[in-house]
Amino acid sequence: MAHYAVHTPIQPDLRFYQKYIDKGLPPVEAAYATLIEGMDKSLGDLMDYLKENNLEDNTVILFMSDNGGLAAHTRAGQLHVQNYPLNSGKGSAYEGGVREPMIVSWPGVVAPGSKCNNYLLIEDFYPTILEMAGVKNYQTVQPIDGISFIPLLKQTGNPAKGRSLFWNMPNNWGNDGPGINFNCAVRNGDWKLIYYYGTGKKELFNIPDDIEESNDLSAQHPDIVKKLSKELGNFLRKVDAQRPTFKATGKPCPWPDEIK
């Protein structure tokens, strides 16, 4: 089920609105809070239905957002800080844009209350769900980009080990802010590299040590920058990724490994 909320336009769910106003929230933040509570109630209603119809022990629930929380516009007060300590928000290559909340309920398999700090992509849902359902020897029209994360759920292995994740935002979203527009990024292990097409700038962060991405280590680790730039450039070429062009010349922006 794909909830439309939480999303713009930010319109209040009047069932919950007044109590957030009474708490002193600005009207737009009160409305935003009602969207969150409305989505939470909807999920609760679905889970109640499963329980009432004796389906909860035979149902897997995967909960995940499609992007980080909105922080680039519409929100009250200072922008780009709504996902603190994560930097920026929706549309950004920073953790505030690409790190999403995720919960999995799989009775008898996933230990209640357990946590996992290893990473995955939403592309991994498809092969994971097929494995959950016991579907084997299947054929697909399109290539399968993801890998099953069942070893993470069963705590039997770590498919994230040695795996790189890639993002590409070669266009203008329409909003601006930290890490937004005309960039691409790669995450491998502790390290994350962000490359800005228009300026050639590169940023390197150690995510476990610096979840706020406030300390750019690119100058201190040129070897890691070079390695990740090459990996990112090779991947973008392999998938025939789009990249922006310079208006002045009409020429495409360099790939990340073409800039030292």
Side-chain angles (χ1 to χ4, degrees):
M1 177 178 181
H3 288 83
Y4 185 77
V6 176
H7 205 279
T8 56
I10 300 177
Q11 298 172 321
D13 185 329
L14 296 180
R15 295 175 296 175
F16 315 114
Y17 185 61
Q18 190 59 47
K19 69 177 180 181
Y20 291 109
I21 291 293
D22 293 342
K23 290 177 181 291
L25 268 66
V28 68
E29 295 300 324
Y32 197 90
T34 68
L35 297 180
I36 296 172
E37 184 167 353
M39 180 189 65
D40 185 66
K41 183 183 185 306
S42 174
L43 180 58
D45 291 343
L46 290 170
M47 295 176 70
D48 287 344
Y49 177 89
L50 295 174
K51 185 175 182 178
E52 292 165 2
N53 290 274
N54 299 314
L55 295 169
E56 62 177 342
D57 290 337
N58 193 37
T59 302
V60 180
I61 298 174
L62 300 100
F63 176 88
M64 190 180 187
S65 175
D66 61 343
N67 46 249
L70 180 66
H73 65 89
T74 309
R75 305 298 298 272
Q78 182 181 350
L79 296 178
H80 313 301
V81 298
Q82 281 73 14
N83 298 302
Y84 181 83
L86 305 183
N87 192 351
S88 200
K90 177 180 180 178
S92 173
Y94 288 129
E95 292 297 283
V98 300
R99 179 184 289 256
E100 290 86 39
M102 178 180 169
I103 303 172
V104 176
S105 171
W106 190 1
V109 178
V110 175
S114 59
K115 296 182 179 180
C116 177
N117 291 320
N118 297 309
Y119 54 70
L120 55 89
L121 281 172
I122 201 165
E123 288 91 328
D124 298 336
F125 271 44
Y126 182 60
T128 301
I129 291 171
L130 289 176
E131 186 175 347
M132 287 174 168
V135 178
K136 301 177 181 179
N137 302 319
Y138 51 85
Q139 293 183 335
T140 60
V141 176
Q142 298 290 344
I144 295 178
D145 296 315
I147 59 176
S148 172
F149 54 81
I150 281 183
L152 297 180
L153 301 179
K154 294 185 176 181
Q155 299 181 355
T156 59
N158 180 13
K161 187 175 182 180
R163 181 190 187 190
S164 292
L165 306 184
F166 302 94
W167 297 268
N168 189 37
M169 181 71 166
N171 57 304
N172 186 348
W173 174 35
N175 302 288
D176 204 1
I180 297 176
N181 298 326
F182 308 117
N183 57 39
C184 53
V186 56
R187 168 82 186 268
N188 182 281
D190 294 344
W191 296 100
K192 179 176 167 188
L193 177 80
I194 302 176
Y195 168 69
Y196 295 87
Y197 284 109
T199 63
K201 180 182 179 181
K202 296 178 183 179
E203 296 176 329
L204 180 70
F205 302 101
N206 185 300
I207 300 302
D209 291 345
D210 180 25
I211 193 65
E212 298 179 31
E213 293 171 295
S214 59
N215 186 19
D216 177 10
L217 299 175
S218 57
Q220 292 93 316
H221 297 281
D223 54 332
I224 297 176
V225 171
K226 182 178 180 180
K227 177 183 176 182
L228 292 180
S229 295
K230 185 63 176 176
E231 184 177 18
L232 179 55
N234 286 342
F235 174 82
L236 294 172
R237 293 184 187 92
K238 177 183 175 181
V239 300
D240 194 24
Q242 294 181 347
R243 53 176 165 164
T245 58
F246 293 109
K247 286 186 177 180
T249 63
K251 294 182 178 180
C253 296
W255 295 118
D257 52 345
E258 293 176 338
I259 296 290
K260 295 184 179 181

